[in-house]
Amino acid sequence: MGEVRGVLEVSFPVAKSRRAWSPFLGGVFLFVTGCAAFLVVAIVLRRLRDQIEAKRLSEAELAAAHLEIHQSRQRVVEEKLEVIGQIAAGIAHDFNNVLMIVLGYTDMALKNVVHDSNVAKYLKKSRIATRRARALANKLPI
């Protein structure tokens, strides 16, 4: 049969000999004779398969990185919405506190004025508006 010298050099004592350049094997000259071409093709195909698999892995890693970035952005958006909700709840709570103060002072003022006067009429309208605002603030999803 033939003999294998090193990893890339193969020779068989049959037919004509020729040189082939293979960029897949690092640009090394191969001495191919007769049936040894099958071995060279197998080596080249294995090397191609390895390169394709490496590319698939890198594409899979790229897809995984894109997915991770997308999920990270979604988490950031969710966290922002959560913070906005907390701020809105705090503002609604503070607003309700201010309304209660206004309502308390309006009630105290109503006790100190003549019930039939214009001032009493304005204070009553102010109390109604404050209660509406309080009801509106209580409707906020906190």
Side-chain angles (χ1 to χ4, degrees):
M1 205 75 199
E3 62 181 271
V4 177
R5 291 182 231 132
V7 177
L8 302 176
E9 189 176 329
V10 180
S11 66
F12 280 83
V14 289
K16 298 178 187 172
S17 181
R18 64 173 203 179
R19 294 177 185 218
W21 177 258
S22 173
F24 300 110
L25 297 173
V28 178
F29 275 104
L30 299 175
F31 297 94
V32 180
T33 57
C35 297
F38 291 113
L39 179 61
V40 171
V41 168
I43 293 171
V44 170
L45 288 176
R46 186 181 64 203
R47 190 78 183 258
L48 277 172
R49 197 171 42 240
D50 291 347
Q51 288 176 357
I52 289 170
E53 185 63 28
K55 185 172 182 178
R56 281 187 188 147
L57 286 176
S58 65
E59 287 174 355
E61 291 169 355
L62 182 62
H66 281 290
L67 179 63
E68 185 177 338
I69 289 170
H70 179 70
Q71 290 172 342
S72 175
R73 286 180 179 166
Q74 281 182 325
R75 281 192 301 272
V76 168
V77 168
E78 290 170 1
E79 290 171 2
K80 284 181 181 180
L81 289 174
E82 184 178 339
V83 168
I84 289 171
Q86 291 173 352
I87 291 171
I91 290 171
H93 181 77
D94 291 344
F95 183 67
N96 200 24
N97 288 343
V98 171
L99 289 174
M100 292 307 296
I101 293 168
V102 171
L103 191 59
Y105 279 117
T106 303
D107 287 340
M108 286 191 313
L110 273 170
K111 290 179 183 179
N112 293 319
V113 296
V114 179
H115 291 293
D116 295 338
S117 69
N118 282 338
V119 173
K121 183 173 82 171
Y122 297 141
L123 287 172
K124 287 177 185 177
K125 288 184 179 185
S126 174
R127 183 172 57 186
I128 291 169
T130 305
R131 286 182 178 163
R132 283 184 189 159
R134 183 180 66 181
L136 199 67
N138 288 334
K139 285 183 182 179
L140 290 175
I142 303 172

